[in-house]
Amino acid sequence: MLTKLTLTIDKAIIEKAKIFAHEKNKSVSRIVEEYLRNISTGNERFDYADKLKSPITDSLVGMFKDNGKDYKSQLEDALSEKYS
């Protein structure tokens, strides 16, 4: 059974969502339903994640290797290298 749900969302987000939904040949309602189904069943994977990129975050991924040192030590080492 389908039931209506009213959401309050920023207008700019709605416009982007409509464009995105059109590109996927789906309705905004269908995309929201799929998302809510995924998170409510514990499956937090979001199929549209490839469209939700964050250029700054993506550029930082893999930048630091875990060598067992805390971040302050790593920062000190990096600054020492940079300014020596």
Side-chain angles (χ1 to χ4, degrees), residues 3-67:
T3 304
K4 274 195 166 198
L5 171 67
T6 302
L7 302 172
T8 304
I9 301 172
D10 184 87
K11 187 175 181 176
I13 300 296
I14 292 170
E15 293 306 315
K16 289 179 181 181
K18 287 179 180 180
I19 292 167
F20 178 76
H22 180 73
E23 290 172 356
K24 295 291 183 182
N25 295 320
K26 294 185 179 194
S27 66
V28 173
S29 292
R30 176 61 51 139
I31 290 171
V32 171
E33 178 184 1
E34 289 173 358
Y35 176 73
L36 293 174
R37 181 182 303 116
N38 282 340
I39 65 170
S40 66
T41 59
N43 179 10
E44 294 185 25
R45 184 177 171 277
F46 186 48
D47 291 334
Y48 307 113
D50 61 323
K51 285 285 190 175
L52 304 173
K53 296 276 185 200
S54 173
I56 294 171
T57 304
D58 290 345
S59 70
L60 296 173
V61 171
M63 187 176 225
F64 297 101
K65 303 285 186 233
D66 183 8
N67 59 6

Side-chain angles (χ1 to χ4, degrees), residues 64 67-80:
F64 297 101
N67 59 6
K69 289 182 166 181
D70 62 66
Y71 78 95
K72 287 183 181 180
S73 297
Q74 289 185 39
L75 180 59
E76 286 175 9
D77 291 350
L79 290 173
S80 292

